[in-house]
Amino acid sequence: MNHEEAARSLATIRQTQMKAVRSRPWFPTWYVVAVGLFVTGVQFVTEPGTPVPVMVITGVLLFAGMGALVAVFVRTRAMTTHRSLIRLDAMALFALWLLLSIVICLAVAFRLDAAEVAYARTYGGLAMTAFQLVTGPFVGRRISALLARGIESRS
């Protein structure tokens, strides 16, 4: 193989990588929403006034569900991103989105708690999960586009 053939082959490989990375969101929204529901469940279990039997049964179910969730995620993920392709702007976007999710959770929980609404933290967790459900697909695709741009810039 001469130099030109090798360069064409490498360009084809890079194009295939970019298509693969762009074809799927960086993280599956169902996974993030399921983690949000787990957090909401933990909030519910730890709320003052939750009966002990409900706490125990729900706690066991939550942790079993989280174990199953992780197992499904590991088995079904189609590809992983090598750390050499991880870009600072993509991780900053993810961190900002996650921080905003947490701020929404806390803001709703504190506001409802100040209004003396029962299960205020649980409602905060539900607000966080709803935010992640609505915005997760856009954030995942944007991160994938940033990662693909990183592959393109290596060409």
Side-chain angles (χ1 to χ4, degrees):
M1 179 180 287
N2 65 35
H3 179 69
E4 290 174 9
E5 291 172 334
R8 277 194 304 269
S9 293
L10 184 58
T12 302
I13 291 168
R14 294 284 188 222
Q15 286 178 331
T16 303
Q17 285 177 324
M18 286 186 303
K19 285 179 187 176
V21 169
R22 278 197 175 108
S23 71
R24 290 181 168 246
W26 184 63
F27 59 85
T29 302
W30 62 264
Y31 180 77
V32 178
V33 169
V35 171
L37 290 174
F38 173 79
V39 169
T40 302
V42 170
Q43 298 286 53
F44 170 75
V45 166
T46 60
E47 290 277 5
T50 303
V52 173
V54 172
M55 291 171 74
V56 171
I57 292 168
T58 306
V60 168
L61 291 173
L62 283 170
F63 282 96
M66 180 53 78
L69 176 67
V70 170
V72 168
F73 178 68
V74 168
R75 288 179 171 246
T76 61
R77 65 182 176 178
M79 65 180 165
T80 58
T81 306
H82 189 269
R83 73 186 136 141
S84 67
L85 297 177
I86 301 297
R87 296 170 42 120
L88 183 59
D89 55 355
M91 291 303 92
L93 175 60
F94 182 74
L96 180 65
W97 177 74
L98 190 58
L99 180 64
L100 186 56
S101 298
I102 294 167
V103 167
I104 288 170
C105 178
L106 293 174
V108 169
F110 288 146
R111 175 90 170 139
L112 293 177
D113 188 55
E116 297 182 6
V117 173
Y119 294 93
R121 293 187 316 216
T122 302
Y123 290 121
L126 287 173
M128 174 191 71
T129 303
F131 172 77
Q132 291 174 336
L133 176 65
V134 170
T135 61
F138 303 109
V139 173
R141 284 190 192 94
R142 179 68 182 144
I143 291 172
S144 292
L146 291 170
L147 296 175
R149 191 175 301 147
I151 294 169
E152 187 175 33
S153 68
R154 290 176 169 210
S155 298

